[in-house]
Amino acid sequence: MWIGGAEVAGADERWMPVINPATEEEIDRVPEGTLYEVDDAVKAAEAAFPSWAAKNPRERGILLFRGAALVRERHADLARFLTMEQGKPLKDAVDEVRGFANVLEYYAALSSSLTGECLPLGSSGDAMVTHEPLGVCGAIIPWNMPALLMAWKIAPALVAGNTMVFKPASQTPLTSLRLANLLEEAGIPPGTLNVVTGRGEVVGEALVRHPGVQKISFTGDAETGMRVQELAAGSLKSVTLELGGSDPMIVWEDADIEKAVAGAVRGRFYNAGQTCTAVKRLFVHQSIGERFVRMLKSRVEGLKVGNGLSAGVEMGPLSGAPQRNRIEKVMEHLTSRGQGLILTGGMRLQERPLERGYFYAPTVVTDVHPESPLLSQEIFGPVLPVMCVPDLETAIRHANNTRYGLGASVWTHDITVAREVFSRVQAGVVWVNRHLTLPPEIPFGGFKSSGIGRENGTQALHSYTRTKSLYIGW
Ligand code: NAD
């Protein structure tokens, strides 16, 4: 744990192992935090707040720029840790660490845009509107993108003048701890960013309940998000909730099939399918369905699966045994009810050299029964259901047939089709001829059970401020 600029052990001296999902070996251990460390971290953040908030926003921006530069310099080392604790291929881990630096730089550059308004109101008076930081903010993230999701939360919060208590997922605390260290090395004062490791039900809940915390930004499962919102209501905290998704990808009859196949493979199998905005359901126009599915099968069967540290690996393991068990249950449900045809995959990968590790074969399912959970729920693993559809009406109806509304994509060159999907599919982000791309400039967040509020863009910066008005009567 990293509290007030120092490494801290838990009050009851319990430790949590960090397991490499590709080898099942323990690579490190971190303290299992308690309510006491959460309280210490909030106090450290409260103590650091006045001087951090009093800085000229540009000064805060400069420190974030320095932090980003250090992260870029040490990216190789950071990416290695990320792969070892999380499983994704090294190349993707490098991209994620660079993504962390990109987000820091984006918000650092926005620091001078934190302005207010001056309103002359005639002879009766003048008014001024300012945007103040909130105080101590709490952030909680899952294990699938420990670097990028950390940046999405800490960068706007810190630039806006807040201090933070950050809780990484129990499975992936190492990269976050290293990143927090580097930011302090870059000059961010001790206590400004604190990291408390531990279990969600203990550390996470204590952070959400803490009266000293003004806002919680949470990313994770929809059920946990609802619990967070309920707990936050107890002290009337504002919340940003980035929750699950079941993103549809619609491939239209005029689509560039090769590009769409490549987009589907990357969109579903990146990070072993464990991405909130992964392509979780694919609807293809029936006129190109057969050709599309043939090409998809061949490309998926060619994916190189293995330890993310090995050269050329395109897909790593699942995050752990619980995640793999969940996928196996979903597949058992599908096969026992005859709700789909497994075109490829559908099993563990444990033969040499993968006899250890939580690997699961990249899987494509066709002829999916409309009632199958694959077509409405969030499947957080490398399983892609494909359904042929006769018209856009059917595609849009299926696309919206889920409690989620995070992302969606349509692959077409027909502007009318693109426009129709954009306006009728219920999702926070709609891509045309892309999926997954999330630059820090565009606001990101969900409709329906996919969340509340937005990360990225200027909206996120403003969500870490509160508006104060001054009226001067003459
Ligand atoms: P999770 O909800 O189990 O855990 C997320 C974080 O919350 C972890 O740090 C965990 O320790 C903590 N936590 C658990 N119980 C808590 C509680 N009662 N109070 C406070 N904190 C608690 O989610 P997960 O399984 O780690 O992550 C996968 C989920 O995250 C998927 O649903 C995925 O779609 C979602 N996700 C969403 C986004 C997005 O931006 N929308 C991004 C990535 C992942």
Side-chain angles (χ1 to χ4, degrees), residues 96 99-104 106-107 139 141-142 144-158 164 166 215 217-219 240 242 275-277 406 431 436-445 454-457 460-461 463-464:
E96 187 178 329
F100 178 95
N102 287 342
V103 175
L104 253 60
Y106 168 71
Y107 282 105
I141 64 162
N144 62 341
M145 287 197 260
L148 190 67
L149 299 182
M150 182 181 187
W152 284 4
K153 298 192 185 306
I154 67 166
L158 295 182
M164 284 214 112
F166 178 83
K215 173 188 165 108
S217 181
F218 170 86
T219 298
T240 297
E242 294 293 352
T275 309
C276 51
T277 52
L406 198 55
W431 294 275
L436 278 188
T437 314
L438 287 172
E441 291 81 1
I442 67 170
F444 171 64
R454 292 291 175 268
E455 293 200 299
N456 289 343
L461 189 61
S463 78
Y464 286 98

Side-chain angles (χ1 to χ4, degrees), residues 420-436:
E420 193 72 359
V421 171
F422 174 70
S423 56
R424 291 180 57 202
V425 170
Q426 294 154 6
V429 55
V430 176
W431 294 275
V432 178
N433 298 324
R434 281 277 184 293
H435 203 108
L436 278 188

Side-chain angles (χ1 to χ4, degrees), residues 141-144 167 200 205 218-221 224 243-244 276 378 444:
I141 64 162
W143 40 262
N144 62 341
K167 184 210 157 321
E205 294 212 1
F218 170 86
T219 298
D221 186 69
T224 323
L243 310 176
C276 51
E378 177 181 48
F444 171 64

Side-chain angles (χ1 to χ4, degrees), residues 250 252 391-397 399-400 408-427 430-432:
I250 299 173
W252 214 239
D391 50 48
L392 201 54
E393 206 51 43
T394 313
I396 292 174
R397 184 163 36 81
N400 284 332
S409 67
V410 56
W411 297 68
T412 182
H413 292 101
D414 183 334
I415 187 72
T416 326
V417 171
R419 169 80 202 165
E420 193 72 359
V421 171
F422 174 70
S423 56
R424 291 180 57 202
V425 170
Q426 294 154 6
V430 176
W431 294 275
V432 178

Side-chain angles (χ1 to χ4, degrees), residues 237-252:
K237 289 181 177 57
S238 76
V239 290
T240 297
L241 301 175
E242 294 293 352
L243 310 176
S246 186
D247 288 14
M249 168 171 175
I250 299 173
V251 183
W252 214 239

